[in-house]
Amino acid sequence: MILGTAGHVDHGKTALVKALTGVDTDRLEEERRRGLTIELGFAPLTLPDGREMGVVDVPGHEKFVPTMLSGCAGMDLVLLAIAADQGPMPQTREHLAILSLLGLQGGVIVLTRADLEWKPGVKDQVEALVKDTFLEGAPVIPTSAVTGKGLPELKRALANLAAAHTAPPSEGPFRLHVDRVFSVAGSGTVVTGTLTSGPLRRGDLVRVWPSGPTARVRALQCHGRQSEALFPGCRAAVNLAGVKRAQVSRGDTLAPPDSLTLTQRLDLSLTLLPQAPYSVKNNALLHLHHGGRALTCRCILLGRDRLEPGETCFAQLRLDTPLAALPGDRVVVRFFSPVVTVGGGVILDLDPPLRGRMDPARTARLADLLAGRIPPVEPTPAP
């Protein structure tokens, strides 16, 4: 099970993770010098009932939202950190909006720095922030990484959430969105990521999507422990035989050959956030985030010429580079300039027609796909 952090920069996410796990997830010298998380950090957390969670600590600065998004793939629960002495801030709101768009269902709200003087009315501000979101009614726990206040209560709350959480299915082809790549002397290329479907076994043949090289899984680890097989919801380190370090990048996906569709256009159900600062016009240029991958696209609206904040419609995204995906995958879109999160959606068709954007029969078919009245198109074998 994967627990992700979220929240504004300098609201104590990394310090809280260290207090919970004993691991300083800021591993870069620059991060420690600046006191600022730049890259994703990872740590194992053992809960009071013996369950183990993988913790993904994400950056909170607005410049690193793409990195934050790359760490969201496979999150089961979120730990939303809000400093008690400052209250909700811009990235608190953006991170919460992103997690809502990605379909997260549960988590806990932590008021960090509770040993300092609290901002007046902070609890009311937090309650207003999460109203009508998936975190409405979630536990709100004051904590201090300095004094240890609230840490036992937080661990118990996480254990309760983990016990109530429905485990992801273990059937179907494995898929892992790569968020880190490095080389190990004597072993070769190693990638890490969250296994979102599976299982993945030692000896499996994998393809690096979308670039195309194939490799054999030489070895598997979860939090430093060797394993013959890993299952959905775990942080995986995968040693790949037959692939060079330069052939894999963050944002790539490991999956079996012929299991995904490679496309440069897709139809989806697109929703703009109610608080989105801009509407989206037909043919607008957007940033698209899928798994750990970020690319740019043109947004062709179907059946209309403009999408306003809070509205939903069907659209086609025409991508600048190929994307490997499946119907049902969730995506986030950000305005091209200025770069702000405006919405997200669910992929419905990975081989749609180029023409007929005002055809009612086309949007009717997409509505049937969205409602599950007709089955999604099977993956098209990619070259």
Side-chain angles (χ1 to χ4, degrees), residues 12 25 42 53 62 66 133 207 233 252-253 267:
T25 55
F42 311 101
M53 284 182 165
E62 63 178 341
T133 75
R207 175 173 172 173
D252 288 344
T253 299
D267 282 2

Side-chain angles (χ1 to χ4, degrees), residues 88-369:
M89 300 287 280
Q91 295 316 119
T92 317
R93 297 179 176 88
E94 185 170 15
H95 283 197
L96 179 59
I98 286 169
L99 296 170
S100 298
L101 292 166
L102 291 174
L104 233 67
Q105 295 297 313
V108 61
I109 303 161
V110 181
L111 294 178
T112 58
R113 305 208 296 244
D115 53 312
L116 303 179
E117 183 178 353
W118 287 31
K119 180 180 179 179
V122 67
K123 285 191 173 182
D124 291 338
Q125 294 173 18
V126 170
E127 183 178 343
L129 172 73
V130 300
K131 184 176 174 57
D132 297 326
T133 75
F134 72 95
L135 285 180
E136 183 173 9
V140 180
I141 302 174
T143 66
S144 169
V146 175
T147 67
K149 172 185 173 64
L151 297 183
E153 292 85 351
L154 176 55
K155 288 184 177 181
R156 286 196 294 271
L158 290 172
N160 291 337
L161 286 169
H165 182 73
T166 302
S170 60
E171 301 296 328
F174 62 82
R175 191 158 46 149
L176 181 145
H177 298 292
V178 176
D179 52 39
R180 190 178 172 215
V181 186
F182 54 94
S183 296
V184 175
S187 295
T189 302
V190 176
V191 304
T192 69
T194 298
L195 194 61
T196 58
S197 60
L200 175 61
R201 294 183 170 88
R202 190 167 70 87
D204 280 349
L205 184 66
V206 306
R207 175 173 172 173
V208 180
W209 296 80
S211 55
T214 57
R216 189 73 61 179
V217 176
R218 175 181 287 153
L220 291 169
Q221 285 189 2
C222 180
H223 298 306
R225 296 190 297 270
Q226 296 285 340
S227 180
E228 289 295 308
L230 297 178
F231 296 87
C234 79
R235 286 291 307 170
V238 186
N239 183 198
L240 298 175
V243 171
K244 297 179 181 179
R245 165 66 183 84
Q247 292 179 289
V248 192
S249 302
R250 183 165 75 186
D252 288 344
T253 299
L254 298 188
D258 300 335
S259 65
L260 303 180
T261 296
L262 199 60
T263 185
Q264 284 193 242
R265 67 180 187 272
L266 58 90
D267 282 2
L268 80 166
S269 172
L270 178 64
T271 299
L272 292 197
L273 294 167
Q275 66 271 30
Y278 306 103
S279 60
V280 170
K281 299 178 182 178
N282 182 54
N283 206 38
L285 190 60
L286 300 173
H287 295 279
L288 172 68
H289 296 267
H290 169 270
R293 192 165 176 79
L295 56 163
T296 56
C297 64
R298 288 282 176 186
C299 180
I300 308 303
L301 299 178
L302 305 181
R304 61 166 70 193
D305 294 320
R306 181 189 292 265
L307 185 63
E308 299 292 344
E311 293 183 341
T312 297
C313 77
F314 297 112
Q316 180 170 115
L317 302 184
R318 297 177 183 173
L319 317 177
D320 63 343
T321 56
L323 178 72
L326 286 174
D329 287 354
R330 289 181 175 267
V331 299
V332 171
V333 294
R334 309 186 79 209
F335 209 69
F336 186 76
S337 180
V339 183
V340 293
T341 302
V342 291
V346 180
I347 295 175
L348 300 174
D349 189 348
L350 290 158
D351 189 22
L354 277 169
R355 294 177 175 82
R357 77 176 188 93
M358 303 301 267
D359 183 357
R362 180 172 176 183
T363 53
R365 175 180 172 274
L366 291 172
D368 286 340
L369 283 169

Side-chain angles (χ1 to χ4, degrees), residues 21-68:
T21 68
V23 176
D24 184 354
T25 55
D26 279 351
R27 64 183 185 276
L28 302 180
E29 181 181 344
E30 183 181 2
E31 291 177 315
R32 294 175 179 177
R33 176 174 54 81
R34 296 173 62 184
L36 175 71
T37 298
I38 298 172
E39 287 289 347
L40 301 174
F42 311 101
L45 170 61
T46 302
L47 299 173
D49 61 0
R51 293 174 189 265
E52 187 173 85
M53 284 182 165
V55 180
V56 180
D57 184 32
V58 306
H61 196 283
E62 63 178 341
K63 291 183 178 179
F64 304 123
V65 169
T67 303
M68 178 267 177

